[in-house]
Amino acid sequence: MKPDPSSPGLSRSDSANADAILEAMTSLPVGATIAADSALRFNPALATTSMCTGLFDVQVPLRAHANGTSSKGTIKLRSQVKTLPAPGTRKSVKDSDTLTLVCYPP
């Protein structure tokens, strides 16, 4: 997982978001673990495409300006899934997605 929630210099909101996502993913009823390379691994592999996590909060902080005003905050959540190679092959399949969340000031 990038960023690694334990990375020094990570903002509080990025760290909280990473923790929330990891907690949601590891709560799935399969064996999800975090590998040394910060990848989330499922063992056994997910056998269904219809498995959902519970709801979780994501923080999208507003941008603060020196004059005391604020403007919209934006974060991008990116994910990439990579399958293990099929038996007898060396090719795995990758799927990437990006979700942009925007928070507007009141």
Side-chain angles (χ1 to χ4, degrees):
M1 171 165 216
K2 295 177 184 175
D4 182 335
S6 62
S7 296
L10 196 61
S11 73
R12 274 190 261 164
S13 61
D14 284 345
S15 182
N17 290 339
D19 286 339
I21 292 167
L22 286 174
E23 184 176 329
M25 296 301 288
T26 56
S27 71
L28 290 171
V30 294
T33 58
I34 303 165
D37 61 357
S38 298
L40 188 63
R41 301 199 192 280
F42 294 94
N43 190 7
L46 295 176
T48 179
T49 59
S50 301
M51 191 175 296
C52 297
T53 68
L55 298 176
F56 58 92
D57 292 327
V58 175
Q59 298 178 18
V60 183
L62 295 173
R63 293 177 55 153
H65 301 285
N67 65 3
T69 63
S70 59
S71 60
K72 72 178 181 179
T74 305
I75 65 167
K76 287 187 179 185
L77 300 175
R78 294 181 187 96
S79 66
Q80 183 181 71
V81 178
K82 181 176 159 184
T83 64
L84 293 174
T89 70
R90 294 174 49 194
K91 184 173 181 163
S92 58
V93 178
K94 289 183 185 178
D95 178 39
S96 299
D97 292 294
T98 301
L99 174 65
T100 301
L101 301 175
V102 180
C103 179
Y104 292 93

